[in-house]
Amino acid sequence: MTIILNSCNQPKKEDSSSKPVEFKFLLEQFADLKIMRYQVPGFESLDLKQKELIYYLSQAAISGRDIIFDQNGRYNLAIRRTMENIYSTYSGDKSSEEWKNFVVYLKRIWFSNGIYHHYGSEKFLPSFSQDYFMELVKNTDQSKFPVRPGQSVDQLIAELIPFIFDPNVLPKKVNLETGTDLVKTSAVNFYDGLSEEEVEGFYKGMAQPNPQEPLSFGINSKLVKENGKLMEKVWKIGGMYSSAIEKIVFWLNKATEVAENEQQKQWLEELISYYQTGDLKTWDKYNVLWVSDHISNVDVVNGFIENYEDPLGRKATWESVVDFKDIEATKRAETISANAQWFEDHSPVDPGFRKKQVKGVSAKVITVAQLGGDCYPSTPIGINLPNADWIRKEHGSKSVTMENITYAYDQAALGNGMLEEFAFTAEEQELAKKYGSLASNVHTDLHECLGHGSGQLLPGTSSEALKNYQSTLEEARADLFALYFIMDPKMVQLGVIPSEGSAKAEYNAYIRNGLITQLCRIERGKNIEEAHMRNRQLIAKWCFEHGKESNVIEFVKKENKTFIRINDYNKLRELFGKLLAEIQRIKSEGDFHAGQKLVEDYGVRVDQQLHKEVLERFKKLNVAPYGGFINPTFTLIENDGKVKEVKIDYPIDYATQMMEYSTNYSFLPTWN
């Protein structure tokens, strides 16, 4: 008897066993978003045990989806489930313009894991009226709304309406505006009823048991006040988010049964122990074991990892990426990591801020098999972990470049007109077409593999000293490391890039994006909120200002359109080096005020006249500035209780996958 266990039962899909067809990368666009698919080349060549491992890890990756919704705002699950009930059971007209607007609003909620823009952090509002919303509610199955115990549907809707329709009620997921209480004015669900001063005081009062190996206090908990006393609600089995974490652990336990080797099994078991206890020492032990595993082909990131969504840079969102090594492409990354000490020794930063001995740097190019949590649907293109500075210094770091993801982005963007519209010359366009994809991947390799792992803190400097500016400055530091070294002759000598043309293509793309094209992602009249975007403008604008005397970068006009032109690539590299040296000093010394000034002076404010022009030019292209992916699905094929094969399929419908996840992988209560 053959039993098929389908991890994502999608009615619309392209069967991998059907005759070859052209793979469709771009599926749909709405609002400022595009939905894409990615391929998983090489999956069929894995052995059965590795395929089964990927299946179990993928199940764990999508089992934590509710967690990121709740972390992004305490009303997100209630709003999502309310909208999904309407989407599924509304009995009225589904052909009207307002219904279409309703569907777009729900799709945006799915994409952003809540009601706040995934990148800009501002609350997005429905394009349908409150009266229409009430009509939808009235004609929807009343028994399936996510009411609290003893609450009526009318009371639920009255509670939710201000958070959906009022632009002044919790308007930002993460507020980084200087001079405000960052905790009180941020909607993220990491703190409850507290001020920034109270939070800072709570964690300052926690003594590190071993200052040489500081624990990541607060990374896996919500801080609340109960009966006048501050306390942490830890995210673990038996604690907050327990029902979802139990499912994650169930699948991780299954994964240990088919681990590739004892080392991999050991760190998987340690991760399970961490989820069971919430113990931060166990978290560090897991990270040390994980970062030391250089032999496994299949790998996973799973946990409360990045702190970008906490205005204080302490709490971490839940995420997961399941992957396996791209053997051929990894040769490039391994060449870079094998020369890590050379790059560190030749860094333009003060010698006192360099690592005397670079340890445990590993880099690989991966094929992503599944995305989850804060990495889904929108995903990074590279990762460098773990984040703890002491582990990176003593045990090294793992860096990955997600090449099948970058390939999917490139394929979906073919012919969209962006390059032709914003590149100044035909020569610039040709450099981009010839070298752009490789140059971007090499930048990511350098950024993740060496940039984040470079340098060191001075004794006594806290890794949290830069507070809400930490994320922007850390991304700038890693970008500058990549930009400085991609132009170094060593890169050609090592065979990583074919010629200096690759570096020029990357310089053109980076400065063009930092000064001009990323403005298409910002709402008219707004400044920059997101850490990566602040970082890019900071670098580009600082180099423009400090290179004015030599006219290193200039704004030029052609046919009443604004472009940038780099006049001296070598001097631009020198500027990258000078800024890298300063930002490394800021990090090494924990110079908060210098870091704050750098970000506020160069990374935040937008030239409104240029912004208006860019938005008008961009609108004519009909291109969505942000993109994300739907996941492939994996199916276990069993015979007499034994796994015989794991089948991969590529769904083609975004809404179907989202509703399937909400039906079969939604494990948290509405109110947590």
Side-chain angles (χ1 to χ4, degrees), residues 34-52:
K34 57 177 174 278
I35 304 299
M36 298 167 285
R37 300 189 298 174
Y38 59 93
Q39 294 172 303
V40 188
F43 178 77
E44 302 294 352
S45 300
L46 299 175
D47 64 40
L48 180 58
K49 191 176 179 182
Q50 290 171 325
K51 291 179 182 178
E52 191 176 352

Side-chain angles (χ1 to χ4, degrees), residues 499-546:
S499 70
E500 192 181 68
S502 300
K504 289 182 177 180
E506 183 60 17
Y507 278 22
N508 290 337
Y510 196 92
I511 298 299
R512 183 171 63 243
N513 186 36
L515 291 177
I516 294 182
T517 55
Q518 76 167 4
L519 296 178
C520 71
R521 295 181 160 200
I522 303 168
E523 188 179 337
R524 178 84 184 275
K526 299 289 182 68
N527 285 322
I528 301 175
E529 298 281 350
E530 201 275 334
H532 295 79
M533 293 179 71
R534 284 184 166 191
N535 139 52
R536 296 182 196 116
Q537 178 171 289
L538 186 162
I539 291 172
K541 190 174 180 181
W542 188 95
C543 290
F544 169 71
E545 295 290 346
H546 286 76

Side-chain angles (χ1 to χ4, degrees), residues 77 154 173 179 238 249 274 320 341 420 502 533 535 646-647:
L77 284 174
D154 287 344
K173 178 174 63 174
V249 166
Y274 163 67
S320 187
Q341 191 66 58
E420 291 75 12
S502 300
M533 293 179 71
N535 139 52
V646 181
K647 185 166 171 274

Side-chain angles (χ1 to χ4, degrees), residues 558-668:
K558 182 173 68 174
E559 298 175 355
N560 292 320
K561 295 179 180 179
T562 305
F563 300 86
I564 61 98
R565 177 167 60 197
I566 299 173
N567 294 313
D568 193 323
Y569 290 93
N570 289 320
K571 286 187 177 179
L572 179 56
R573 184 184 183 229
E574 291 175 9
L575 290 169
F576 287 146
K578 289 179 181 177
L579 184 55
L580 173 58
E582 172 59 6
I583 291 181
Q584 182 62 62
R585 182 199 67 78
I586 288 170
K587 177 173 181 175
S588 294
E589 296 179 350
D591 189 343
F592 172 80
H593 294 293
Q596 178 187 47
K597 181 172 174 55
L598 201 56
V599 175
E600 294 293 340
D601 285 355
Y602 296 101
V604 177
R605 288 183 292 277
V606 170
D607 180 328
Q608 295 301 326
Q609 186 174 349
L610 177 60
H611 191 196
K612 178 176 180 290
E613 177 197 321
V614 170
L615 289 176
E616 289 173 352
R617 291 164 65 184
F618 183 76
K619 185 177 181 180
K620 295 176 183 177
L621 299 176
N622 192 31
V623 176
Y626 300 99
F629 296 89
I630 61 174
N631 278 321
T633 64
F634 297 98
T635 304
L636 285 188
I637 299 177
E638 295 183 328
N639 192 340
D640 295 331
K642 293 184 179 181
V643 176
K644 297 299 183 181
E645 186 55 88
V646 181
K647 185 166 171 274
I648 184 171
D649 292 296
Y650 297 100
I652 60 173
D653 190 84
Y654 169 67
T656 302
Q657 180 162 99
M658 291 297 174
M659 286 300 293
E660 200 278 336
Y661 282 4
S662 292
T663 301
N664 295 332
Y665 296 91
S666 186
F667 302 116
L668 289 184

Side-chain angles (χ1 to χ4, degrees), residues 333 336-337 361-363 384 397 399 444-453:
I336 292 172
S337 62
V361 173
S362 69
N384 177 274
S397 61
S399 303
T444 303
D445 291 342
L446 288 166
H447 174 112
E448 300 293 352
C449 174
L450 302 182
H452 281 306

